[in-house]
């Protein structure tokens, strides 16, 4: 899963970076999206049925979930730091409210009414939340989402946890095609070197994209980092934000505890502190 942190600003403008090309991003990530929507709707039904069908996606990228959620009756809101992604998402989901915004400062307009959050289902899958640059930014983000949550609402976060010192480099392959454009991305992940500073906790991500249009082949390479979380560090920021863990599931929505390492959907609810 590709990404960048605040410290990688130079990459944001680079044509080589996946996020600078929302169409290519969308082609790569569209496969499986309908199933993911079904799972998210199921999580809302199971854990937040008393909360309104109002969805919020932080770091929404191309907005690939939004048309499906709207078809399931959700009012849809999202934001992303990248204005190009926001423009693309708005075209893909004209009925949604999508703004340019960052994790810890996004606009809460329309999400809180008379001091009470309206959001029944906030969600941030595939490690996007690890674009937050520090624990302080993460806690500010979680608190801001919490303020938007309906008292019975949930925030579903898809995150891979790290066991520092035990992980090996890994590789992911993503492929997709649309209207004669075939895209392949090979992403290599180099684990964090330590468990303390943001610099040590930076997982190195290297992406090589191949874009085939007819006989033309274009290759784009870029590198970025994601902030790593051990289970202890992740549970600590959840607590500091005043959220509580309602459930943990695997990608298909079945109950699952990832232990110290690996990917899970963390279903978070408002804590007892209001
Ligand atoms: C891997 S994409 C995920 C997009 C979408 N959530 C999905 O699942 O397809 C990560 C997104 O995070 C956005 N992003 C990175 N840092 C951010 C920040 N600090 N605040 C908001 N969005 C950010 C990027 O612009 C990018 O669109």
């Amino acid at each position: 899963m590709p990404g960048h942190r605040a410290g990688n600003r130079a990459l944001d403008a680079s044509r080589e970076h996946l996020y600078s090309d929302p169409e290519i991003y969308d082609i790569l990530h569209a496969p499986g999206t309908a199933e993911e929507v079904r799972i998210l709707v199921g999580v809302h039904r199971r854990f937040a049925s008393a909360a309104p069908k109002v969805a919020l996606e932080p770091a929404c990228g191309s907005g690939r979930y939004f048309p499906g959620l709207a078809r399931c009756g959700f009012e849809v809101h999202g934001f992303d730091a990248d204005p190009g992604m926001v423009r693309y998402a708005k075209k893909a989901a004209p009925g949604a409210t999508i703004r340019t915004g960052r994790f810890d400062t996004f606009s809460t307009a329309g999400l809180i009414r008379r001091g009470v959050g309206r959001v029944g289902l906030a969600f941030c899958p595939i490690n996007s939340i690890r674009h937050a640059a520090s624990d302080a930014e993460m806690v500010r983000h979680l608190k801001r989402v919490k303020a938007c949550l309906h008292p019975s609402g949930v925030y579903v976060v898809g995150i891979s946890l790290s066991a520092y010192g035990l992980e090996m480099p890994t590789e992911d392959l993503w492929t997709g095609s649309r209207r004669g454009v075939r895209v392949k991305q090979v992403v290599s992940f180099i684990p964090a070197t330590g468990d303390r500073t943001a610099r040590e906790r930076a997982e190195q991500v290297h992406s090589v994209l191949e874009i085939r249009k007819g006989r033309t082949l274009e290759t784009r390479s870029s590198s970025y980092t994601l902030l790593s979380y051990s289970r202890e560090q992740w549970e600590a920021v959840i607590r500091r934000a005043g959220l509580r863990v309602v459930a943990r599931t695997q990608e298909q929505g079945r109950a699952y505890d990832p232990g110290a390492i690996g990917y899970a959907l963390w279903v978070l609810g408002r804590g007892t502190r209001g």
Side-chain angles (χ1 to χ4, degrees), residues 177-203:
S177 60
R178 184 180 295 162
R179 291 191 284 274
V181 181
R182 281 191 292 143
V183 188
K184 178 171 128 185
Q185 185 191 30
V186 179
V187 197
S188 321
F189 300 90
I190 315 293
T193 56
D195 63 356
R196 293 169 69 83
T197 63
R199 183 185 283 258
E200 284 176 0
R201 285 167 58 192
E203 180 178 30

Short mmCIF file of all heavy atoms in Angstrom, two decimals, residues 177-203:
data_model
loop_
_atom_site.label_atom_id
_atom_site.label_comp_id
_atom_site.label_asym_id
_atom_site.label_seq_id
_atom_site.Cartn_x
_atom_site.Cartn_y
_atom_site.Cartn_z
N SER A 177 -7.17 -2.93 -14.75
CA SER A 177 -7.24 -2.43 -16.13
C SER A 177 -8.59 -1.76 -16.36
O SER A 177 -9.57 -2.08 -15.68
CB SER A 177 -7.03 -3.57 -17.14
OG SER A 177 -8.03 -4.53 -16.97
N ARG A 178 -8.58 -0.81 -17.29
CA ARG A 178 -9.82 -0.09 -17.62
C ARG A 178 -9.64 0.55 -19.00
O ARG A 178 -8.63 1.22 -19.22
CB ARG A 178 -10.07 1.00 -16.57
CG ARG A 178 -11.39 1.75 -16.75
CD ARG A 178 -11.56 2.82 -15.67
NE ARG A 178 -11.69 2.24 -14.34
CZ ARG A 178 -11.50 2.93 -13.21
NH1 ARG A 178 -11.14 4.20 -13.25
NH2 ARG A 178 -11.64 2.33 -12.05
N ARG A 179 -10.61 0.35 -19.84
CA ARG A 179 -10.62 0.98 -21.18
C ARG A 179 -9.24 0.97 -21.86
O ARG A 179 -8.69 2.00 -22.24
CB ARG A 179 -11.13 2.42 -21.08
CG ARG A 179 -12.63 2.48 -20.74
CD ARG A 179 -13.16 3.88 -20.90
NE ARG A 179 -12.79 4.75 -19.82
CZ ARG A 179 -13.45 4.87 -18.67
NH1 ARG A 179 -14.54 4.18 -18.46
NH2 ARG A 179 -13.03 5.69 -17.74
N GLY A 180 -8.65 -0.23 -21.95
CA GLY A 180 -7.40 -0.37 -22.70
C GLY A 180 -6.16 0.06 -21.94
O GLY A 180 -5.04 0.01 -22.49
N VAL A 181 -6.28 0.49 -20.70
CA VAL A 181 -5.11 0.85 -19.90
C VAL A 181 -4.89 -0.26 -18.88
O VAL A 181 -5.79 -0.57 -18.10
CB VAL A 181 -5.31 2.20 -19.16
CG1 VAL A 181 -4.07 2.56 -18.36
CG2 VAL A 181 -5.67 3.30 -20.15
N ARG A 182 -3.69 -0.85 -18.91
CA ARG A 182 -3.39 -1.91 -17.94
C ARG A 182 -2.31 -1.41 -16.99
O ARG A 182 -1.28 -0.87 -17.44
CB ARG A 182 -2.93 -3.18 -18.67
CG ARG A 182 -4.14 -3.94 -19.23
CD ARG A 182 -3.75 -5.29 -19.72
NE ARG A 182 -2.90 -5.19 -20.90
CZ ARG A 182 -1.87 -5.99 -21.17
NH1 ARG A 182 -1.57 -6.97 -20.35
NH2 ARG A 182 -1.17 -5.83 -22.28
N VAL A 183 -2.55 -1.58 -15.70
CA VAL A 183 -1.63 -1.03 -14.71
C VAL A 183 -1.17 -2.13 -13.76
O VAL A 183 -1.97 -2.97 -13.34
CB VAL A 183 -2.30 0.09 -13.87
CG1 VAL A 183 -1.27 0.79 -12.99
CG2 VAL A 183 -3.01 1.09 -14.76
N LYS A 184 0.12 -2.12 -13.47
CA LYS A 184 0.68 -3.08 -12.50
C LYS A 184 1.55 -2.28 -11.53
O LYS A 184 2.29 -1.38 -11.96
CB LYS A 184 1.52 -4.10 -13.27
CG LYS A 184 2.20 -5.12 -12.39
CD LYS A 184 2.81 -6.21 -13.25
CE LYS A 184 4.26 -6.37 -12.86
NZ LYS A 184 4.99 -7.31 -13.68
N GLN A 185 1.43 -2.59 -10.27
CA GLN A 185 2.28 -1.91 -9.28
C GLN A 185 2.93 -2.96 -8.37
O GLN A 185 2.24 -3.82 -7.81
CB GLN A 185 1.46 -0.96 -8.40
CG GLN A 185 2.32 -0.15 -7.44
CD GLN A 185 1.51 0.61 -6.39
OE1 GLN A 185 0.43 0.17 -6.01
NE2 GLN A 185 2.03 1.73 -5.94
N VAL A 186 4.23 -2.89 -8.26
CA VAL A 186 4.95 -3.74 -7.31
C VAL A 186 5.42 -2.82 -6.18
O VAL A 186 6.09 -1.81 -6.43
CB VAL A 186 6.16 -4.43 -7.98
CG1 VAL A 186 6.92 -5.28 -6.95
CG2 VAL A 186 5.70 -5.29 -9.14
N VAL A 187 5.01 -3.14 -4.96
CA VAL A 187 5.35 -2.30 -3.83
C VAL A 187 6.20 -3.10 -2.85
O VAL A 187 5.80 -4.19 -2.42
CB VAL A 187 4.09 -1.81 -3.08
CG1 VAL A 187 4.43 -0.62 -2.19
CG2 VAL A 187 2.99 -1.44 -4.04
N SER A 188 7.37 -2.57 -2.49
CA SER A 188 8.25 -3.25 -1.52
C SER A 188 8.21 -2.47 -0.21
O SER A 188 8.25 -1.23 -0.22
CB SER A 188 9.70 -3.28 -2.00
OG SER A 188 9.74 -3.52 -3.37
N PHE A 189 8.14 -3.20 0.88
CA PHE A 189 8.07 -2.59 2.20
C PHE A 189 9.31 -2.99 3.01
O PHE A 189 9.57 -4.18 3.19
CB PHE A 189 6.82 -3.08 2.94
CG PHE A 189 5.53 -2.76 2.24
CD1 PHE A 189 4.98 -3.65 1.32
CD2 PHE A 189 4.87 -1.57 2.49
CE1 PHE A 189 3.80 -3.36 0.66
CE2 PHE A 189 3.68 -1.28 1.85
CZ PHE A 189 3.14 -2.16 0.93
N ILE A 190 10.05 -2.00 3.48
CA ILE A 190 11.22 -2.27 4.32
C ILE A 190 10.84 -1.85 5.75
O ILE A 190 10.56 -0.66 5.99
CB ILE A 190 12.46 -1.44 3.87
CG1 ILE A 190 12.63 -1.48 2.34
CG2 ILE A 190 13.71 -1.89 4.61
CD1 ILE A 190 12.99 -2.82 1.76
N PRO A 191 10.82 -2.81 6.69
CA PRO A 191 10.32 -2.51 8.04
C PRO A 191 11.08 -1.38 8.74
O PRO A 191 12.24 -1.09 8.41
CB PRO A 191 10.51 -3.82 8.78
CG PRO A 191 10.68 -4.86 7.75
CD PRO A 191 11.25 -4.20 6.55
N ALA A 192 10.43 -0.81 9.74
CA ALA A 192 11.03 0.24 10.57
C ALA A 192 12.32 -0.28 11.21
O ALA A 192 12.45 -1.47 11.47
CB ALA A 192 10.04 0.62 11.67
N THR A 193 13.24 0.67 11.49
CA THR A 193 14.52 0.26 12.08
C THR A 193 14.47 0.28 13.60
O THR A 193 15.32 -0.29 14.26
CB THR A 193 15.65 1.20 11.62
OG1 THR A 193 15.27 2.55 11.97
CG2 THR A 193 15.88 1.10 10.12
N GLY A 194 13.48 0.95 14.19
CA GLY A 194 13.40 1.02 15.65
C GLY A 194 12.00 1.40 16.08
O GLY A 194 11.13 1.64 15.25
N ASP A 195 11.81 1.46 17.40
CA ASP A 195 10.44 1.63 17.91
C ASP A 195 10.20 2.97 18.58
O ASP A 195 9.17 3.17 19.20
CB ASP A 195 10.10 0.50 18.87
CG ASP A 195 11.00 0.51 20.11
OD1 ASP A 195 11.92 1.36 20.18
OD2 ASP A 195 10.77 -0.31 21.01
N ARG A 196 11.18 3.92 18.46
CA ARG A 196 11.04 5.12 19.28
C ARG A 196 10.62 6.34 18.45
O ARG A 196 9.45 6.69 18.43
CB ARG A 196 12.34 5.38 20.04
CG ARG A 196 12.60 4.29 21.10
CD ARG A 196 13.98 4.39 21.67
NE ARG A 196 14.12 5.59 22.51
CZ ARG A 196 13.76 5.65 23.77
NH1 ARG A 196 13.25 4.59 24.37
NH2 ARG A 196 13.90 6.76 24.46
N THR A 197 11.56 6.97 17.77
CA THR A 197 11.25 8.23 17.07
C THR A 197 10.47 7.94 15.78
O THR A 197 10.49 6.81 15.26
CB THR A 197 12.55 8.95 16.68
OG1 THR A 197 13.25 8.10 15.76
CG2 THR A 197 13.40 9.25 17.89
N ALA A 198 9.82 8.99 15.27
CA ALA A 198 9.08 8.84 14.01
C ALA A 198 10.04 8.41 12.89
O ALA A 198 9.68 7.62 12.02
CB ALA A 198 8.38 10.15 13.66
N ARG A 199 11.28 8.91 12.95
CA ARG A 199 12.25 8.52 11.92
C ARG A 199 12.55 7.03 11.98
O ARG A 199 12.55 6.33 10.97
CB ARG A 199 13.55 9.34 12.10
CG ARG A 199 14.60 9.08 11.04
CD ARG A 199 15.87 9.84 11.38
NE ARG A 199 15.73 11.25 11.04
CZ ARG A 199 16.25 11.81 9.96
NH1 ARG A 199 16.94 11.09 9.12
NH2 ARG A 199 16.10 13.08 9.72
N GLU A 200 12.76 6.52 13.21
CA GLU A 200 13.02 5.07 13.37
C GLU A 200 11.80 4.25 12.96
O GLU A 200 11.93 3.16 12.42
CB GLU A 200 13.33 4.75 14.84
CG GLU A 200 14.70 5.13 15.32
CD GLU A 200 14.87 4.84 16.82
OE1 GLU A 200 13.93 4.35 17.46
OE2 GLU A 200 15.95 5.14 17.31
N ARG A 201 10.62 4.78 13.27
CA ARG A 201 9.38 4.02 13.03
C ARG A 201 8.90 4.13 11.58
O ARG A 201 7.82 3.62 11.25
CB ARG A 201 8.29 4.51 13.99
CG ARG A 201 8.50 4.03 15.42
CD ARG A 201 7.61 4.76 16.40
NE ARG A 201 6.20 4.63 16.09
CZ ARG A 201 5.25 5.37 16.68
NH1 ARG A 201 5.56 6.26 17.60
NH2 ARG A 201 3.98 5.20 16.35
N ALA A 202 9.67 4.80 10.73
CA ALA A 202 9.25 4.96 9.34
C ALA A 202 9.47 3.67 8.56
O ALA A 202 10.61 3.21 8.42
CB ALA A 202 10.04 6.09 8.70
N GLU A 203 8.39 3.09 8.07
CA GLU A 203 8.51 1.94 7.16
C GLU A 203 8.78 2.53 5.77
O GLU A 203 8.08 3.43 5.32
CB GLU A 203 7.21 1.15 7.16
CG GLU A 203 7.24 -0.06 6.23
CD GLU A 203 5.95 -0.87 6.29
OE1 GLU A 203 4.87 -0.28 6.53
OE2 GLU A 203 6.02 -2.08 6.08
#
